Amino acid sequence: MKNTIAIVGRPNVGKSTLFNRLVGQRKAIMDNQSGVTRDRHYGYGDWIGKHFTVIDTGGYVHGSDDVFEESIRRQVKLAIDEADVVLFMVDVEAGMHGLDEEFANVLRRYQGKKPIYIVGNKADTNARAHAAGEFYALGVGDGDIFTISSQSGSGTGDLLDAVVSHFEDPWEEVQDEGLPKIAVVGRPNVGKSSLVNLLLGEERTIVTDIAGTTRDAIKTRYNAFGNEFILIDTAGLRRKTKVKEDIEFYSVLRSIRAMEESDVCIVMLDATRGIEAQDVNIIALADKNRKGIVILVNKWDLIEDKETNTTKKIEEEILEKIAPIAYPPIIFTSVTTKQRVHKAIETAIQVYANKTKKIPTSQLNEVMLRAIEEHQPPSVKGKMVRIKYVTQLPTHNPVFAFFCNLPQYVRDSYVRYLENRLRENFGFEGVPIGVIFRKK
C-alpha cells in the first residue's frame, strides 16, 4: 500500500475516533473500555485531492503478560512497518503517562526513517492545547505537536495538511470494483483468522484459542496463485442471547455488515462439534442476502476413526439441517495441516464466477423450453400455464424471468423443478438463483 497512515499510542487515547473521522464513517468500534481495538483495521480517506490508507491499531501496553496485549504489541509494530506516516496519539487531558514514554522508546528506532507526528487529542480548550507542550519531553516526532479533538474534528485539517505533504503524487485508490469480495464467517473460534493468516502468509490478524478474539471485520486484498480478490475476516457470530457486552454486540453487527457487503461467504464449521443451530442461522442469513456460499468444515484432522463414507454422512447431515438450501459446496479441511485450503479458495472463486455468470438467451431458451416441454406446468382450476420465453435479467445475482400467460397460477413445486433444471444444465453451484414469472 502507498500513502499509508498508522495511528498508534497507548489504550484509550482516541485512536479509533480519529480513524473514523479520517475515513469519514463509523468503521472502528469505539468504547470507553481500553483495548477495544485489537487487530489492525484499515480504511480509506482523502484530503486536498490526495488519497490515503489509514490503519487503526490496538492500544500499546509494554510488559504485560496478557495474551491479547502481547498480540496487540506485534500488530502495532507491523502497522508502523507498513506506514508511510505515523501518528503517535497522546491524551492532553490526562497528561503524560508512563505508557506514552514506553511507546516513545519503541518509536525512536523509526525516527528519521519515516515521519512521526505527536497528536495531542482531547484538546477541546485553549488550556489543554497549551498543556500539550509537556509531550515534547518524549523526544520523538517531527516538528510541532498537533493538538486536535478527534471527537469534534478541531485541528484535524492542519494535521492532514502536514501528513499529505509526504505523499508525492495523488494516489488513485485501488478500485475494488470487479474483484470478488469473499467474507470468512462463522461462530467464534472455528479457525477464521487462522485461515486468513495462512492465505496471506503473515500474521495479518491476531489468533488465539480464546473465542471472539477478532472484533472488527478486516479487509485485505489477496493476490496469489493466479487469484485476486478482497478477503474479509469477521468477528465470530453468536446468538443474540449470548451477546452481553456492547462491544461484542457491535462486533456481531460488523460481521453481518461484512457479510452483506461480500459476494461470497465462506462459512466455517468446526468438525469436532458438527453443524449447530448458529451455523444454520449464519447460512440462512447468507442465503437471505443472496450471497454465494461455500461451507468449510475445518479441524478435519482432529476427527479420529474416519471411514470411507464419513464425509458423505456429514454432508447429508449438513444438507438436512440447512434444507431447503441445497446448493452450497461442502469442503472438509484443516487449516492447521493446510489440507484442502487452496481448494476452498478456488471453490469460492468459482462460486463468484457462477454468481456473475450470464447465459445467452438463445441457449437458455433452447435448453429450458425443452425441459418445459418434457414436464408441463400443472393445470390450476382447469387452466393451463403456457411458458413461451425465458431470459436472464441484468441483476447482481442470477435471476431468470419466465414469460407466460398465467404467472399467478405457477406452483412452488414447479418453480423448484425449473430451478433444478437450471442448475443441472448451467451449474450455479454455491449460488442462490431466482425464478420469477411475468405475463407475456
Side-chain angles (χ1 to χ4, degrees), residues 148-161:
I148 70 165
S149 169
S150 56
Q151 190 70 49
S152 67
S154 174
T156 54
D158 291 338
L159 173 63
L160 283 171
D161 284 342

Side-chain angles (χ1 to χ4, degrees), residues 111 116-118 139-143:
Q111 191 81 35
I116 300 172
Y117 291 107
I118 297 179
V140 295
D142 293 55

Side-chain angles (χ1 to χ4, degrees), residues 22-59:
L22 296 185
V23 301
Q25 53 184 308
R26 192 181 178 88
K27 290 186 68 175
I29 300 172
M30 298 179 298
D31 196 277
N32 289 329
Q33 176 183 335
S34 65
V36 172
T37 302
R38 288 173 174 168
D39 296 317
R40 288 169 290 164
H41 193 60
Y42 293 81
Y44 302 106
D46 65 272
W47 186 253
I48 59 173
K50 293 185 178 180
H51 293 79
F52 49 80
T53 300
V54 189
I55 310 175
D56 184 23
T57 64

Side-chain angles (χ1 to χ4, degrees), residues 87-286:
L87 302 183
F88 176 20
M89 285 197 73
V90 294
D91 185 340
V92 299
E93 180 183 14
M96 183 83 76
H97 193 286
L99 291 175
D100 296 325
E101 297 173 348
E102 293 285 355
F103 193 57
N105 291 333
V106 174
L107 287 178
R108 284 195 186 93
R109 72 189 66 174
Y110 298 95
Q111 191 81 35
K113 298 179 181 178
K114 58 183 64 183
I116 300 172
Y117 291 107
I118 297 179
V119 180
N121 191 30
K122 306 181 186 179
D124 301 289
T125 65
N126 288 332
R128 288 185 186 175
H130 288 306
E134 68 172 314
F135 290 98
Y136 282 112
L138 293 173
V140 295
D142 293 55
D144 293 332
I145 294 173
F146 286 89
T147 54
I148 70 165
S149 169
S150 56
Q151 190 70 49
S152 67
S154 174
T156 54
D158 291 338
L159 173 63
L160 283 171
D161 284 342
V163 169
V164 300
S165 69
H166 299 282
F167 302 155
E168 295 180 0
D169 299 307
W171 171 53
E172 292 297 330
E173 180 184 336
V174 176
Q175 296 298 315
D176 295 338
E177 289 299 323
L179 288 181
K181 296 181 178 64
I182 300 175
V184 183
V185 300
R187 289 183 289 104
N189 207 28
V190 294
K192 299 183 297 298
S193 293
S194 296
L195 172 62
V196 173
N197 289 338
L198 175 60
L199 292 173
L200 299 179
E202 63 171 346
E203 192 173 349
R204 174 60 183 79
T205 58
I206 296 171
V207 181
T208 71
D209 293 328
I210 301 173
T213 304
T214 303
R215 284 174 168 167
D216 286 327
I218 301 165
K219 296 183 181 180
T220 305
R221 190 166 180 139
Y222 177 91
N223 189 344
F225 304 105
N227 294 316
E228 187 171 15
F229 53 88
I230 305 301
L231 189 63
I232 309 171
D233 179 25
T234 63
L237 293 167
R238 298 172 184 265
R239 285 190 291 272
K240 290 182 180 178
T241 55
K242 293 189 177 181
V243 180
K244 298 179 180 179
E245 300 177 58
D246 285 344
I247 296 168
E248 191 169 332
F249 170 74
Y250 287 120
S251 296
V252 172
L253 295 182
R254 184 81 16 77
S255 297
I256 293 172
R257 187 179 304 161
M259 181 186 292
E260 290 173 345
E261 293 176 353
S262 69
D263 299 306
V264 178
C265 295
I266 295 178
V267 183
M268 293 190 72
L269 312 183
D270 186 334
T272 63
R273 298 175 62 176
I275 184 167
E276 299 182 345
Q278 187 63 358
D279 298 318
V280 176
N281 291 338
I282 293 169
I283 293 169
L285 181 62

